[in-house]
Amino acid sequence: MCHRGCARVSIPPGDFPGFVPTFQIDKYLYDMRLSEETLQEVSQRFGKEMEKGLGADTNPTASVKMLPTFVRSTPDGTEDGDFLALDLGGTNFRVLRVKVSDNGLQKVEMENQIYAIPEELMRGSGVQLFDHIAECLANFLDKLNIKDKKLPLGFTFSFPCHQTKLDESILVTWTKGFKCSSVEGKDVVSMLRKSIKKRGDFDIDIVAVVNDTVGTMMTCGYDDHNCEVGLIVGTGTNACYMEEMRHIDLVEGDEGRMCINMEWGAFGDDGVLKDIRTDALAELGVCPASSILHPASSILHPASSILHPAPSILHPASSILHPPSSILHPPSSILHPPSSILRPASSILRPTSSILRPASSILHPAPCTLHPPSCTLHPAPCILHSASSILHPASSILHPALSILHPAPCTLHPPSCTLHPLSSILHPASSILYPAPCILHPPFCIPHPPSSHRAAVSGTFARRLHKTVRKLLPDCEIRFVRSEDGSGKGAAMVTAVAYRLAAQHKARQKILEALKLSHEQLLEVKQRMRIEMEKGLGKETHAEAAVKMLPTYVCSTPDGTEKGDFLALDLGGTNFRVLLVRVRNGMRRGVEMHNKIYSIPVEIMQGTGEELFDHIVHCISDFLEYMGMKGVSLPLGFTFSFPCQQTSLDEGILLKWTKGFKATGCEGEDVVNLLKEAIHRREEFDLDVVAVVNDTVGTMMTCGYEDPYCEVGLIVGTGSNACYMEEMRNVELVEGEEGRMCINMEWGAFGDNGCLDDIRTEFDLAVDELSLNPGKQRFEKMISGMYLGEIVRNILIDFTKRGLLFRGRISERLKTRGIFETKFLSQIESDCLALLQVRSILQHLGLESTCDDSIIVKEVCAVVARRAAQLCGAGMAAVVDKIRENRGLDFLKVTVGVDGTLYKLHPHFSTVMHETVKQLSPKCEVTFLQSEDGSGKGAALITAVACRIREVPSISGGEQ
Ligand code: ADP
C-alpha cells in the first residue's frame, strides 16, 4: 500500500472485476460532490470567518486570521530600480537581484542563487541561521560585485508570522522542518539586520518582509494592474487580497487599502465545515476542505494534499487494471505502455474497461469532456479523469472563498488557461491557482506524465475553479493570471512598490504642502480679514478697500412678533421666483410659503430694462391670480443677488449685471425704482416695495427668525459671502451712531489687493487666470463651489505631468475645463464610499485610474476642501471676534445662519470650518444654523421686520 488511505478501499485479494465495490466508490464520490447551494453556503461561512478575522474583538477566536501585511499598494508598472530579495521558506533558500526598469516596456531582469541550508542549521540557533543568511547574501553581493551599493531588499519569509510593520514580522511558529531556537516570538527582520551589522562588510536596506502569497499577488500585479488577489494552491494553499483599510480593525487608519494575508488554510479548524467533511475522509483526517485548508499539514505532508483521497479511490479501479505495484510505475508505463505490452494487455483490458465504464459513469454522471473513447486502450486518462472528479470538491471549495473576496465587480481575469505545468512543478509555491503541481505530484503516483496529460488535468482543475467562481459570482469579471516566481520576484516587487510610493508620496506632499495652512497662517488670515473689514467700513479707506462692507439698512433681526402676508421676489439665483410668505405670531408662530418659478427668456435677460421689469411684474400678476389674490396690495421684499450699492433699505443701485443678465438701462439705476415703474405701467395692482436685500442677509434673517442669537449670515455655494450686525458707530458710510446695521461684507473680494498672495498657490493663479473675472474675488476662488473642482483638476494635471498620478498619462478629459465639478469632491470624500466607487466616479469622468490613483485624487480633494473650509473659518473668526470686541465682551455667544450647497452637502466642510472658528476665536461660542430658502423667506422676513418697525400694516394683520 502506497498510502494508508488505500487500505480503506482495498479489494480482497483474488477479487475480480465482477466484485468491484462500486458502492464504496459511489459513496465516497457522492459525499464529495458539492451542490451549488452547498458552495454558496460555504461561501457565506467563509465571508463570516473573514469578518471575524478582521474584527478586533473577534480576531482572537477566528480561525481564518486575516493578517495585515502592511502592503498598501500593488504595482502600477512605473516601478524602477535595482532590488535584492531573499526567499526563505520555499523549496530552496535563494538570494535574488531584481532589476525593474520603467522604460515603458516594464522589463524585469533577475539573477538568483540557491544556497543550501544545512540540516543542523535548520535546527540550530536562530543567530546561526541568520548569520548564515547574511553570509549567503554577502557571497551573492560579492559575486555580482555590488557589495558597496546599499540596495533595498525584500524578504520573502514564508512562515506563519504576525506582522506589525512592512519591515517587521514576528515569527509565530516554525514550520517546514525549521526549528531554530530563539526565533519564535521575535522580529525576523531585526535578527537579519543584526547578523548583517555584525559582519560589517556590507549594508542593505531591508524594506519589506512578505509571505509568498503576497509575493504572488505583487508579481502578477506588475503585469496586470488589476491584480488584487493572490492565491497559492501548491503544496499548501493560502490567499491574500487588497482589503479596504476601514474594514481592518487591527490596523489604525481608514484610508486606502492593505493586503491581507488570509491564512485561509485554517478555515474549518473551528468545525464550521464539519457538515461537509465526508465520513471516510474525516476518519483519514482529511476532507476535501481540510486537505486544502490545512497548509501546515499539506506542506509537511505532501501526501495529504488535495489529492490525498485520490489514490484511495483510484486504487480499486487501478488494481483491477494492474497489480497494485503498477500504480507506482513510471507514468509512461501506464499511459504509453510499449505496444508489445499493450497489445496483450488490451485483451485483458477490454473486459476491465467495460467494468470501468459503469464506474466512471458513477464518477461522472454528467457528460464529461475528458472521457476519451480510447479509454479502453488507455486506462490512464480514466484515472486522470477520476482524479479530476475528486479534485472537483477541492477546486469548488476554493471558489466560495474566492467569491467572497470579490463581492463587488472585480478584475481577476482568468488567463487563457494555458498552463505551464512544468514550471509549476519547478516552482510549486509560486503558482497562482496552479493546481498542476498538486495534481501531478507524487501523491498521485504519476510522477512524470506526458505534458499533454498534465495540461489536461491542470486545465480541468483550473476550468472547474474558474467555472465555479463564475457561477457563484455571475456579476464579476475575474481573470486568473499565472505568477512566475512570485516568492522571489514578489518580495522585490513589494520593495520596488514601496520605493516608488515613498518617492512619489514625498513629491506629492511637497506640492500639497503649499495648500496646507498652519494655525499661524490661519491666524494671520483672520487678522488680515479684520484689517480689510476696518478699511471697508472707514469713510476714508472705503473707496480702495477690497472688502466693501456694504451697509444694507437692515437694522434689526426678527423678534418673533412679526406677522402678516408678504410677497417676495428672488432674482439672481438659479431661478426667478415669486413667493407669498405668511408670517404668523403668537401661538401659531411660523412661516408658510407658496412660490412659483418663472423662466426669464434670454431675449428678455438681454433686452431692455423695461422689458425685463415688465416681465417680472407680469409674473407677479400671474402669481397673484394663481393664488387667488389678484389686485391685493402687499408689502414686498426683493432679493436681488447682483452687486448693489444701497443708500436705504428700499433702494439698491445696480453696479454691474452678472450671471448672463445684460438688460440695458439698468446699471447705475435703482432697481426698486425700475420695479415700481413697471408696476405703475401695468396699472393692475399696487405693491409696497419695502426692502431690497441680498441672499446673505436673507439667510441671516431666516435663521434669526428661529434663533435670536443669529446675527451673522454666511453663504458657501457657487460663490461665498457673509454679513453681520455691525455697530452703527463703526459704519462710517451711514450717519447715526445708535443701534446696529447689517453689513453685507462682499468678502469674496478679500485678497483682491494682493493681501493673500503669499498663500495663493500656482493652482489658484491658474484657476483665476482662466476665470471670467481674473484678479477679482480671490478669496471666493479659494473657497466656493464654482472653483474648488477646478483647483483639484489643476493639481491633478500637475501631478500627472510629474508622473505622480495616472501613470503620467494626461488624458484629454483631464485637460477639459469644468469636468471636475465641486459635487465630485463631496462624492469622493464621502465616508461611506469604498475606493472602488471613487475609482468608478473617476472612470465615469473619463479618467482611467488605478485604486492608488483614487487614493491620491481623494487626498487632493481633501486638501483643497479642507483649505477652503479653514479659510472660510478664518474669515468667520474675524467676524465673530469683531462682534465680541464691538460689544466689549470677554465671551460672545452667537449664531451664524448658513446657506449654500457646498456647506450643506460636502461631508467635511462644515466640521472643518467649525473647528477652525473654534480654534481661532476661543472667546466665542459659535452655533451654526442651516438656513432653508434664505433668499425667498429672508426677503419676506426683512420686509416683515421693516413693517413691524415702521408699523406698516399688512392686510391680514393681527394674530392669526
Ligand atoms: P447658489 O450659490 O448659486 O445660490 P447653491 O448654494 O445651490 O446655489 O450652490 C451651487 C453650487 O454648489 C454649485 O456651483 C456647485 O459648485 C456646488 N455644489 C453642487 N452640488 C454640490 C455637492 N454635492 N457638494 C458640494 N458642492 C456642490
Side-chain angles (χ1 to χ4, degrees):
M1 298 278 158
C2 65
H3 192 281
R4 70 185 170 103
C6 301
R8 297 272 314 152
V9 285
S10 58
I11 313 284
D15 270 2
F16 252 61
F19 294 98
V20 169
T22 53
F23 63 92
Q24 285 193 26
I25 296 173
D26 188 12
K27 183 178 178 315
Y28 276 111
L29 298 183
Y30 186 83
D31 285 352
M32 279 194 216
R33 298 185 75 85
L34 298 174
S35 67
E36 200 177 324
E37 289 72 41
T38 310
L39 293 175
Q40 292 284 9
E41 175 62 30
V42 172
S43 176
Q44 276 168 20
R45 290 182 206 171
F46 217 115
K48 283 194 190 129
E49 284 301 311
M50 287 167 76
E51 271 176 32
K52 220 169 144 186
L54 289 170
D57 297 339
T58 43
N59 178 274
T61 55
S63 52
V64 178
K65 281 294 177 202
M66 307 294 284
L67 303 172
T69 64
F70 295 82
V71 169
R72 295 171 194 262
S73 185
T74 50
D76 74 353
T78 63
E79 288 71 21
D80 197 9
D82 206 348
F83 304 95
L84 291 172
L86 289 180
D87 179 9
L88 183 70
T91 317
N92 298 300
F93 166 57
R94 290 185 304 158
V95 186
L96 303 93
R97 180 193 195 178
V98 183
K99 278 190 192 166
V100 188
S101 47
D102 173 29
N103 54 3
L105 300 170
Q106 293 194 16
K107 217 171 124 203
V108 180
E109 289 169 61
M110 294 210 292
E111 289 161 276
N112 77 77
Q113 173 81 51
I114 293 174
Y115 291 93
I117 299 207
E119 187 86 354
E120 63 274 17
L121 271 186
M122 288 171 76
R123 290 159 210 282
S125 78
V127 174
Q128 283 171 329
L129 175 71
F130 284 99
D131 284 352
H132 175 68
I133 294 174
E135 195 181 325
C136 298
L137 196 49
N139 174 278
F140 185 75
L141 297 176
D142 255 342
K143 255 178 64 183
L144 297 187
N145 209 11
I146 50 171
K147 223 170 176 180
D148 54 335
K149 292 188 177 182
K150 191 185 167 188
L151 291 183
L153 178 139
F155 187 9
T156 303
F157 186 75
S158 302
F159 298 93
C161 280
H162 171 62
Q163 204 153 346
T164 41
K165 286 182 198 160
L166 186 59
D167 62 349
E168 191 176 282
S169 197
I170 317 288
L171 175 67
V172 176
T173 169
W174 282 120
T175 55
K176 311 173 197 180
F178 281 81
K179 274 232 168 341
C180 305
S181 60
S182 309
V183 185
E184 288 177 356
K186 298 230 173 89
D187 170 27
V188 293
V189 176
S190 58
M191 289 192 79
L192 178 58
R193 280 193 184 125
K194 263 187 211 151
S195 291
I196 294 171
K197 203 168 169 200
K198 202 160 62 187
R199 295 178 58 87
D201 57 341
F202 70 95
D203 196 8
I204 47 162
D205 178 13
I206 307 176
V207 175
V209 55
V210 294
N211 84 354
D212 48 359
T213 321
V214 181
T216 296
M217 178 185 80
M218 297 299 272
T219 304
C220 292
Y222 185 67
D223 299 319
D224 182 333
H225 308 138
N226 288 321
C227 182
E228 295 179 50
V229 182
L231 172 63
I232 291 199
V233 190
T235 314
T237 180
N238 192 14
C240 69
Y241 72 103
M242 296 302 289
E243 176 59 274
E244 303 283 325
M245 277 294 289
R246 67 201 151 91
H247 295 153
I248 308 172
D249 285 0
L250 299 174
V251 183
E252 268 188 26
D254 276 350
E255 280 304 299
R257 300 170 310 148
M258 182 179 284
C259 179
I260 291 291
N261 165 19
M262 296 177 68
E263 288 295 342
W264 83 359
F267 178 46
D269 282 7
D270 56 358
V272 294
L273 293 178
K274 227 179 194 166
D275 54 336
I276 62 161
R277 281 169 64 107
T278 60
D279 285 350
L281 294 171
E283 277 173 43
L284 289 174
V286 288
C287 74
S290 67
S291 60
I292 294 170
L293 300 169
H294 287 279
S297 64
S298 309
I299 290 160
L300 291 173
H301 307 286
S304 70
S305 77
I306 293 175
L307 287 176
H308 190 165
S312 55
I313 289 161
L314 290 169
H315 195 184
S318 7
S319 65
I320 296 161
L321 297 167
H322 304 275
S325 63
S326 68
I327 292 172
L328 292 170
H329 282 181
S332 58
S333 67
I334 295 175
L335 299 171
H336 298 288
S339 52
S340 58
I341 299 170
L342 182 63
R343 263 179 219 122
S346 64
S347 59
I348 302 165
L349 284 172
R350 246 171 230 132
T352 312
S353 64
S354 67
I355 290 154
L356 250 188
R357 271 194 196 121
S360 64
S361 69
I362 295 165
L363 297 174
H364 294 282
C368 171
T369 45
L370 272 180
H371 213 161
S374 58
C375 182
T376 43
L377 290 173
H378 296 281
C382 301
I383 293 173
L384 291 175
H385 187 185
S386 313
S388 64
S389 85
I390 289 155
L391 284 169
H392 195 175
S395 60
S396 307
I397 274 194
L398 278 172
H399 290 212
L402 272 181
S403 70
I404 296 213
L405 293 179
H406 296 283
C410 65
T411 33
L412 267 184
H413 294 272
S416 47
C417 292
T418 324
L419 299 167
H420 302 284
L422 197 62
S423 56
S424 296
I425 287 173
L426 290 175
H427 302 288
S430 71
S431 59
I432 178 169
L433 271 195
Y434 291 92
C438 40
I439 291 172
L440 298 166
H441 260 206
F444 196 13
C445 307
I446 308 175
H448 306 291
S451 59
S452 59
H453 288 122
R454 284 185 297 205
V457 178
S458 33
T460 305
F461 187 97
R463 265 201 307 279
R464 285 188 167 151
L465 193 69
H466 302 169
K467 199 171 148 195
T468 313
V469 175
R470 291 202 185 99
K471 220 180 211 171
L472 294 173
L473 285 173
D475 296 335
C476 290
E477 191 192 335
I478 301 167
R479 184 162 174 239
F480 295 88
V481 181
R482 179 194 173 82
S483 150
E484 296 295 345
D485 201 359
S487 54
K489 190 164 137 191
M493 252 343 140
V494 175
T495 309
V497 171
Y499 253 58
R500 170 178 61 76
L501 289 179
Q504 291 182 333
H505 180 76
K506 207 166 145 196
R508 280 192 304 268
Q509 290 315 309
K510 207 170 153 206
I511 296 165
L512 291 181
E513 214 45 56
L515 289 121
K516 292 180 181 173
L517 301 174
S518 66
H519 179 75
E520 288 66 37
Q521 281 176 304
L522 291 170
L523 214 51
E524 184 61 33
V525 171
K526 176 193 167 189
Q527 275 151 14
R528 290 180 197 171
M529 175 66 96
R530 175 63 182 266
I531 293 168
E532 294 303 310
M533 287 167 80
E534 305 288 1
K535 276 193 204 163
L537 288 170
K539 209 170 190 165
E540 306 286 299
T541 46
H542 176 82
E544 79 268 15
V547 180
K548 283 295 179 199
M549 306 294 284
L550 302 171
T552 65
Y553 296 84
V554 170
C555 296
S556 180
T557 50
D559 68 1
T561 64
E562 294 78 13
K563 59 181 187 291
D565 287 359
F566 305 91
L567 275 183
L569 300 181
D570 178 9
L571 183 70
T574 319
N575 299 297
F576 168 56
R577 292 185 305 159
V578 185
L579 303 95
L580 173 71
V581 184
R582 294 218 149 106
V583 185
R584 295 190 175 98
N585 66 1
M587 298 288 285
R588 296 170 63 203
R589 185 177 177 275
V591 176
E592 181 190 313
M593 299 206 294
H594 303 271
N595 76 77
K596 205 168 168 192
I597 292 170
Y598 295 91
S599 69
I600 299 199
V602 179
E603 59 273 20
I604 288 184
M605 281 164 80
Q606 303 183 351
T608 66
E610 272 195 12
E611 282 166 349
L612 172 66
F613 280 90
D614 282 349
H615 177 71
I616 290 173
V617 173
H618 166 77
C619 296
I620 298 172
S621 165
D622 175 82
F623 179 74
L624 289 173
E625 192 173 339
Y626 166 75
M627 294 299 298
M629 299 175 80
K630 206 170 167 125
V632 172
S633 175
L634 291 176
L636 180 139
F638 189 6
T639 302
F640 187 73
S641 301
F642 300 94
C644 279
Q645 182 87 49
Q646 278 187 269
T647 46
S648 66
L649 183 63
D650 60 356
E651 187 189 279
I653 314 290
L654 174 64
L655 297 175
K656 197 173 174 25
W657 279 123
T658 55
K659 310 175 200 178
F661 280 79
K662 272 197 184 140
T664 55
C666 298
E667 287 180 357
E669 297 295 322
D670 171 17
V671 292
V672 175
N673 237 349
L674 295 175
L675 178 65
K676 279 181 180 165
E677 281 170 13
I679 293 171
H680 288 150
R681 275 198 296 277
R682 194 167 177 98
E683 289 184 348
E684 191 180 300
F685 49 82
D686 200 15
L687 293 173
D688 177 15
V689 184
V690 176
V692 58
V693 294
N694 92 350
D695 47 1
T696 319
V697 185
T699 296
M700 180 187 80
M701 294 302 266
T702 307
C703 292
Y705 187 69
E706 309 294 331
D707 178 346
Y709 286 103
C710 184
E711 296 184 75
V712 185
L714 170 67
I715 295 221
V716 198
T718 307
S720 181
N721 192 15
C723 69
Y724 72 102
M725 296 305 288
E726 178 58 274
E727 305 300 315
M728 275 298 286
R729 62 172 191 276
N730 294 335
V731 188
E732 293 182 10
L733 298 180
V734 181
E735 288 208 352
E737 297 283 299
E738 288 305 303
R740 294 173 188 150
M741 181 179 282
C742 179
I743 295 294
N744 164 19
M745 294 177 69
E746 289 294 342
W747 82 358
F750 178 39
D752 286 6
N753 58 359
C755 74
L756 292 178
D757 283 2
D758 57 336
I759 60 162
R760 289 174 83 215
T761 64
E762 55 183 297
F763 311 111
D764 297 304
L765 299 183
V767 170
D768 184 28
E769 249 166 48
L770 289 177
S771 68
L772 293 172
N773 49 351
K776 300 265 181 326
Q777 302 292 98
R778 295 186 191 177
F779 189 55
E780 178 171 81
K781 284 173 185 165
M782 289 194 266
I783 289 182
S784 70
M786 192 155 177
Y787 308 99
L788 297 193
E790 270 301 280
I791 298 176
V792 168
R793 190 181 67 87
N794 275 279
I795 299 172
L796 301 187
I797 289 178
D798 185 69
F799 278 8
T800 313
K801 278 185 184 160
R802 294 169 194 261
L804 305 173
L805 185 66
F806 300 138
R807 298 206 283 142
R809 293 180 201 149
I810 297 198
S811 60
E812 279 308 309
R813 282 295 285 169
L814 191 59
K815 286 194 240 161
T816 313
R817 270 185 69 202
I819 55 139
F820 213 97
E821 290 174 48
T822 301
K823 69 176 178 197
F824 295 126
L825 266 77
S826 292
Q827 288 176 13
I828 286 171
E829 274 210 72
S830 163
D831 288 333
C832 55
L833 216 62
L835 277 179
L836 273 180
Q837 289 164 294
V838 173
R839 198 168 156 195
S840 81
I841 292 174
L842 294 178
Q843 261 153 6
H844 191 70
L845 284 173
L847 303 174
E848 271 307 318
S849 59
T850 61
C851 265
D852 283 343
D853 290 337
S854 319
I855 298 173
I856 296 164
V857 172
K858 194 170 172 179
E859 187 186 3
V860 173
C861 290
V863 168
V864 169
R866 184 174 176 80
R867 185 187 67 152
Q870 286 179 324
L871 285 173
C872 194
M876 190 45 66
V879 173
V880 292
D881 249 356
K882 184 165 194 329
I883 297 176
R884 184 182 62 79
E885 285 172 29
N886 282 344
R887 298 176 193 181
L889 298 171
D890 283 339
F891 188 79
L892 174 78
K893 188 171 151 57
V894 69
T895 297
V896 178
V898 201
D899 206 344
T901 306
L902 175 58
Y903 176 89
K904 287 179 175 173
L905 295 190
H906 189 278
H908 308 303
F909 189 97
S910 56
T911 316
V912 175
M913 192 192 95
H914 301 168
E915 274 168 11
T916 310
V917 175
K918 208 169 170 183
Q919 282 161 10
L920 300 181
S921 309
K923 293 181 180 174
C924 299
E925 183 190 319
V926 186
T927 305
F928 292 86
L929 193 62
Q930 282 196 22
S931 139
E932 296 304 328
D933 200 1
S935 51
K937 193 160 133 189
L941 282 169
I942 290 165
T943 309
V945 171
C947 288
R948 169 170 60 78
I949 290 168
R950 283 157 48 181
E951 291 178 348
V952 176
S954 64
I955 53 146
S956 49
E959 196 167 304
Q960 296 169 49

